[in-house]
Amino acid sequence: MINRDQISNLRKLFVENYQSAPQKDPEFKPADDSSRSVPGQIRGLQQKIASAQNEQKARASLAAAPVRSIAVTSGKGGAGKTNFVANLAIAFSRLGKKVLVLDADLGLANIDVIYGLRPKYNLFHVITGQKRLSEIITEGPCGVKLAPGGSGIVELANINESERNHFLAEMSELEGKVDIILVDTSAGINKNVLCFLKACSEIIFVTLPEPPAIADAYGIIKAVAAQDAGFVQKLYLVVNRAVSVVEAKDVYDRLSLVTRRFLNIAIEDMGYIFEDRVVAAAVKAQSPYILASPNSSASGCIETIARKMLNIGGEKYGAGSASDRLKNGVRSFFHRIGELFN
Ligand SMILES: Nc1ncnc2c1ncn2[C@@H]1O[C@H](COP(=O)(O)OP(=O)(O)OP(=O)(O)O)[C@@H](O)[C@H]1O
Ligand SMILES: [Mg+2]
């Protein structure tokens, strides 16, 4: 059966090939005489229709690509989550992804400070209907979008049905405009953080190499497992402020051993970020180090992690699993948040 679209494609191709092409392109020459014969022309048209259909299919599958929601958390405060998120978002964006950073950290030195932005409004204003989503989202470096959570993060726990519907309708605006939602959480184990971790399809745990930080990382991984026995999130570990590859690998080995043995949980090794003085300097200058010091060791580490997360050079990570299919869509991400918080 040939449908209406195909008929209009056929007509368009006919017009293009038999009327406009020779005029548009003075160099236009049929490849050989056989294509001038009627069967040759039909074959040519069939091939063009097939390739137009393939392109349509490719576009459709691109449009349906699941949105990845990635939470970044740590057991201990000050592990480097905010700096990591701020720079990773830029690395993702430069690799062609449309990134939304959701700042769900109630603390001070947040993403906006690192980006040198001064957002006036946050999710609170969207939830309470004072602002549209488009009015609170600010644009950071390299096209990264920033949604400041502010007091809206706490407010999520108190929204009523109509506020929730309004909130979700606002979030639908982002559908198709975002490939990755990166969530910067507060440190520690509390209901608020656990809700965000549960709502995301992937979680990156950031730890420092010191034993107390590793113990706290274990604590939050255990809390995630305890609150949701059948959890489907993919879990990754990033060791921050490492002084050597050996040290980072050792931290990963130790932590993944205990999570496997005592929690029956596998964590992927997502790499490390070296201790680097450019990090503090960039915070001071309010210019992310991946831009201010692109050749620094910390920037190199972020690039490596971004590529690994995006599967560049492999098939292991990223979208496509059953859990991703369940959790795709910006709206469904915020829907889960709305449900989990109530
Ligand atoms: N790779 C690094 N090398 C050197 N210093 C770093 C590195 N990563 C982070 N820092 C420093 O660690 C401090 C804490 O970083 P950051 O604010 O990103 O942590 P956080 O986990 O978001 O903290 P909080 O739990 O308070 O939200 C900052 O002063 C930052 O400069
Ligand atoms: Mg922080």
Side-chain angles (χ1 to χ4, degrees), residues 150-186:
S151 50
I153 299 301
V154 174
E155 201 58 29
L156 279 169
N158 307 316
I159 53 177
N160 61 34
E161 193 65 27
S162 82
E163 282 171 337
R164 183 180 340 169
N165 289 338
H166 166 73
F167 178 63
L168 290 176
E170 283 290 308
M171 292 304 150
S172 314
E173 266 185 38
L174 290 170
E175 214 68 71
K177 294 182 190 156
V178 170
D179 301 316
I180 298 176
I181 302 172
L182 208 47
V183 184
D184 182 24
T185 69
S186 306

Side-chain angles (χ1 to χ4, degrees), residues 48 51 60 62 91 99 112 125-126 139 160 162 170-171 207 214 234 242 276 291 297 300 315 323 326 332 340:
K48 293 215 171 195
S51 95
L62 216 64
V99 189
D112 49 329
H125 301 96
V126 179
E139 191 155 317
N160 61 34
S162 82
E170 283 290 308
M171 292 304 150
T207 184
I214 302 171
K234 290 181 203 163
D276 194 331
L291 299 176
S297 62
E315 279 303 310
S323 68
L326 280 175
S332 60
L340 290 163

Side-chain angles (χ1 to χ4, degrees), residues 231-243:
F231 76 96
V232 287
Q233 285 94 333
K234 290 181 203 163
L235 311 182
Y236 313 113
L237 185 74
V238 166
V239 179
N240 188 25
R241 308 189 75 159
V243 293

Side-chain angles (χ1 to χ4, degrees), residues 1 27 40 47 57 73 78 92 95 111 114 119 157 169 183 241 246 273 289-291 323:
M1 269 288 269
E27 301 288 305
Q47 279 166 359
K57 268 189 212 155
T73 196
F92 280 154
L95 290 166
I111 309 271
I114 293 176
V183 184
R241 308 189 75 159
V246 173
I273 308 160
Y289 59 82
I290 198 161
L291 299 176
S323 68

Side-chain angles (χ1 to χ4, degrees), residues 81-82 105 109-110 184-185:
K81 300 174 291 296
T82 302
D105 187 350
N110 286 351
D184 182 24
T185 69

Side-chain angles (χ1 to χ4, degrees), residues 185-200:
T185 69
S186 306
I189 305 166
N190 60 57
K191 184 175 178 252
N192 189 297
V193 170
L194 289 175
C195 283
F196 277 106
L197 300 189
K198 204 174 167 189
C200 287

Side-chain angles (χ1 to χ4, degrees), residues 117-136:
L117 301 170
R118 304 265 176 286
K120 269 209 215 137
Y121 306 106
N122 57 49
L123 280 186
F124 176 82
H125 301 96
V126 179
I127 293 168
T128 51
Q130 298 173 57
K131 292 283 161 198
R132 305 293 314 264
L133 179 67
S134 53
E135 294 173 303
I136 70 140

